[in-house]
Amino acid sequence: MKKEKLTIIATKQIAKATFEMKLENIHISENAVPGQFLHILMEGHTLGRPISIADIDKQNHIVTILFKVVGSGTKRLAEYRVGQQIDALGPSGNGFPSEQNEKKTVLLIGGGIGVPPMYYLGKQLAEQNVNVIAILGFQTAENVFYEEKFNQVAETYIVTDDGSYGEEGFVTDLLDQVGNFDCYYTCGPLPMIKAITDKLIGKRGYISLEERMGCGVGACLACMIPANNQSGYKKICSDGPVFSAEEVII
Amino acid sequence: MNELAVVLPGLNLKNPIMPASGCFGFGYEYSNFYDLSELGAVIMKAATGTARLGNPTPRVAETASGMLNAIGLQNPGVNHIIEQEVPFLAEYDTSIIANIAGSTIEEYEMVAEAFNDTEHVHALELNISCPNVKEGGIQFGTDPQMAAKVTERVKRVSKLPIYVKLSPNVTDIVAMAKAVEAAGADGLSMINTLTGMQIHLPSRRPLIANKTGGLSGPAIKPIAIRMIYEVKQHVDLPIIGMGGICNAEDVLEFLLAGADAVAVGTANFSNPLVCKEIIADLPDVLKRNGLSSVQEAIGKAVFI
């Protein structure tokens, strides 16, 4: 992880309050793995914003991030324009473990703004000839994004809370319909992850967690999650954000 | 002697910059960004008698020009810190200050005593002002008699110089400073965070799980400057100043108000290289303001 400047080369709104930003940076594009994040430091803000990496184009040194405008920091980020630079620490945290999954089937489950890291992971797994299935959950039709991109790398199912697009319900409603899989990966709101891990108990799985962060490097102990052993807590920013499903108590 | 050097009880500082307790862990993370030997000192995360797990999350929230935190003194306990954390920092050419906390006076004594034979720890910062724990902490830091009592008792068992970290959550900071001075403190650390609260509108709930937290960052800098200035007029103890320092100009302001050295806290979160950058910038900032050394700046604000 380094403190880097990234140049914005494209930015656009892709769904309700959801933005895609393409950034140019050599160090991060060359080193990031799926599941890692950027800790974005904005002038006028005391704390960085952890934003997951949605895609990497290693050849052209492009890092894609997707973020939802939820507060003043992300609102400010959405106002940044092409050519501007942003400061960020990255690539941060530990990504999804790269297993030898060839000839296996993996299930990706993304909820809302937890969908972006699933894309980079899905793309990489598909390149390794892994059979990828994706369940993507959104609140309503206007929140849906990246369906076409997922279709290129995975057998993709979309669910919305209100049924305004795809199937009606929650991602957990589809778990029985997607067939067999060897392993699952998920990122999204905590209640969603809890529901998934409860339902898939005993199945090998990896979860990506989010929490308000202070330093983003593991020093301040703000973003903690209880560990499922005697060791107390794990730091989401530096021990995670990806954990095995049994490693922490949700 | 170099232009940035400062000598304080127990501390021979090559420069007056140190990361503040709780904002730097035990140094591992920031050692990936620069050589910790560049720092004047490191103030370690608080040590308590036994391991503490801290408060529920969310533990931090951003505020205007600052942040609220309620970590709750999470730490692995004093013995673990001495055995596992101090050796790492001891590899660097910098002074080490141990921040000590407790729920009872006996716990403070036990923690202070544990550091007596740790050759690489040069001073203690007595944390009587953490606003985020239910027992101890703030209750010692807001009552002059209690503050004096815990200072005196720790002073009695410790071989190290004691810097008492004062809470700004008091009506009369000078009374607190005088009380701990009379009790034998070797220096002061000021200020700790101010108790604050922020409410999330959609859920109508406080933004941090502990409801209240300690406010830090640039928002509290004027309060720290005022308190250091007030205390300096009445108390002779050296002061490690802190509260919202972000750059070398801020450092000079603290020195002019009466601080002898400074600690940088929340700014480490906005910029992990901030301490290194401040150390690099400080000589030029002194020069531009007509000062040839840190020593020359201390307490030299002009009050008409």
Side-chain angles (χ1 to χ4, degrees):
Chain A
M1 183 208 313
K2 281 186 175 177
K3 183 167 183 271
E4 290 283 302
K5 283 196 184 298
L6 300 93
T7 306
I8 301 171
I9 56 169
T11 179
K12 66 174 177 185
Q13 188 169 354
I14 57 165
K16 185 184 177 186
T18 309
F19 291 79
E20 179 192 70
M21 191 174 264
K22 290 188 182 292
L23 305 155
E24 195 174 43
N25 180 276
I26 294 173
H27 173 73
I28 291 166
S29 62
E30 283 183 349
N31 292 289
V33 298
Q36 288 188 297
F37 65 94
L38 299 183
H39 197 60
I40 296 181
L41 310 158
M42 279 169 296
E43 211 178 313
H45 289 270
T46 303
L47 301 179
R49 274 25 182 206
I51 297 186
S52 57
I53 292 167
D55 197 10
I56 295 285
D57 174 352
K58 278 195 163 75
Q59 214 170 4
N60 296 302
H61 303 306
I62 296 169
V63 181
T64 303
I65 56 168
L66 267 59
F67 59 93
K68 192 160 187 172
V69 173
V70 289
S72 61
T74 40
K75 183 169 182 281
R76 176 96 185 264
L77 190 58
E79 288 163 0
Y80 278 32
R81 290 292 161 248
V82 171
Q84 273 185 273
Q85 288 193 315
I86 59 172
D87 281 318
L89 308 182
S92 297
N94 295 303
F96 292 103
S98 57
E99 298 189 354
Q100 291 300 315
N101 282 308
E102 197 169 348
K103 292 178 188 166
K104 288 189 174 175
T105 298
V106 305
L107 176 64
L108 311 182
I109 313 158
I113 206 62
V115 167
M118 293 292 110
Y119 176 67
Y120 183 28
L121 176 65
K123 195 173 114 176
Q124 200 165 86
L125 290 171
E127 281 168 8
Q128 295 163 6
N129 294 319
V130 174
N131 182 34
V132 185
I133 305 169
I135 305 174
L136 311 179
F138 300 95
Q139 283 180 316
T140 64
E142 59 189 350
N143 296 101
V144 176
F145 59 86
Y146 267 33
E147 184 185 13
E148 278 179 29
K149 279 177 168 281
F150 269 91
N151 277 332
Q152 289 166 21
V153 298
E155 178 188 338
T156 306
Y157 299 82
I158 307 273
V159 291
T160 49
D161 296 358
D162 61 358
S164 55
Y165 194 85
E167 299 206 28
E168 181 177 347
F170 299 116
V171 293
T172 40
D173 298 331
L174 266 73
L175 291 177
D176 299 327
Q177 299 175 34
V178 296
N180 290 327
F181 52 90
D182 300 291
C183 164
Y184 70 93
Y185 298 86
T186 183
C187 182
L190 216 53
M192 183 196 93
I193 292 177
K194 182 163 174 47
I196 291 166
T197 52
D198 284 351
K199 196 156 179 177
L200 299 179
I201 203 156
K203 195 94 175 171
R204 196 155 50 86
Y206 298 96
I207 60 177
S208 177
L209 302 177
E210 192 185 18
E211 181 57 77
R212 288 210 183 88
M213 289 180 188
C215 64
V217 301
C220 76
L221 310 186
C223 58
M224 310 304 280
I225 182 94
N228 201 6
N229 57 27
Q230 299 305 310
S231 70
Y233 285 104
K234 296 270 186 188
K235 304 175 194 177
I236 290 177
C237 68
S238 58
D239 296 330
V242 175
F243 297 96
S244 73
E246 309 83 33
E247 202 177 349
V248 291
I249 302 167
I250 302 163
Chain B
M1 195 158 150
N2 87 55
E3 64 195 313
L4 299 187
V6 181
V7 178
L8 299 175
L11 302 168
N12 199 352
L13 308 175
K14 60 167 95 67
N15 65 63
I17 310 301
M18 53 190 93
S21 182
C23 300
F24 209 72
F26 297 100
Y28 297 102
E29 293 80 10
Y30 291 95
S31 71
N32 295 321
F33 289 93
Y34 61 93
D35 179 0
L36 304 185
S37 296
E38 293 188 37
L39 297 166
V42 172
I43 311 180
M44 293 192 293
K45 175 141 186 64
T48 52
T50 52
R52 285 208 197 190
L53 285 177
N55 293 324
T57 57
R59 293 177 171 187
V60 291
E62 191 175 77
T63 63
S65 296
M67 66 173 245
L68 289 172
N69 91 81
I71 306 296
L73 295 182
Q74 180 175 344
N75 79 95
V78 64
N79 291 334
H80 183 280
I81 289 170
I82 289 170
E83 286 158 23
Q84 306 291 327
E85 315 292 356
V86 172
F88 171 77
L89 283 171
E91 295 288 309
Y92 293 93
D93 177 24
T94 188
S95 297
I96 303 176
I97 302 172
N99 180 294
I100 65 166
S103 300
T104 61
I105 289 180
E106 290 71 25
E107 187 178 0
Y108 277 100
E109 287 178 312
M110 176 269 202
V111 178
E113 218 167 355
F115 281 108
N116 273 345
D117 299 318
T118 311
E119 60 171 322
H120 297 290
V121 172
H122 305 97
L124 300 182
E125 181 176 63
L126 189 58
N127 183 356
I128 56 167
S129 45
C130 178
N132 301 321
V133 289
K134 287 188 174 67
E135 295 172 320
I138 200 77
Q139 79 191 55
F140 291 109
T142 51
D143 175 346
Q145 278 186 325
M146 287 289 281
K149 195 171 175 186
V150 69
T151 303
E152 193 199 329
R153 293 269 294 269
V154 168
K155 189 69 196 157
R156 206 181 295 163
V157 298
S158 178
K159 295 177 187 170
L160 295 169
I162 312 288
Y163 291 78
V164 181
K165 190 165 185 174
L166 298 184
S167 169
N169 299 304
V170 295
T171 314
D172 186 352
I173 190 78
V174 174
M176 295 298 299
K178 282 181 174 171
V180 300
E181 181 182 43
D186 298 282
L188 301 171
S189 266
M190 29 187 322
I191 57 176
N192 206 324
T193 56
L194 286 109
T195 307
M197 193 171 184
Q198 198 166 26
I199 293 167
H200 179 242
L201 299 184
S203 63
R204 302 182 195 178
R205 292 174 189 275
L207 269 170
I208 49 180
N210 197 50
K211 295 188 184 115
T212 61
L215 180 66
S216 62
I220 71 165
K221 197 187 93 181
I223 300 168
I225 297 290
R226 184 266 292 180
M227 288 187 160
I228 289 167
Y229 161 68
E230 284 182 354
V231 166
K232 195 72 179 180
Q233 311 309 307
H234 298 94
V235 173
D236 284 332
L237 296 176
I239 297 171
I240 301 171
M242 62 200 74
I245 293 172
C246 292
N247 52 47
E249 282 82 1
D250 291 342
V251 172
L252 179 54
E253 195 177 337
F254 273 77
L255 297 174
L256 292 172
D260 299 83
V262 298
V264 180
T266 306
N268 288 290
F269 303 161
S270 313
N271 175 10
L273 294 163
V274 68
C275 288
K276 177 188 168 74
E277 290 173 5
I278 288 174
I279 292 163
D281 292 346
L282 193 54
D284 187 49
V285 169
L286 288 170
K287 199 175 161 190
R288 277 192 280 117
N289 287 279
L291 296 157
S292 59
S293 70
V294 163
Q295 208 57 51
E296 197 186 324
I298 296 166
K300 298 293 166 52
V302 178
F303 302 101
I304 302 163

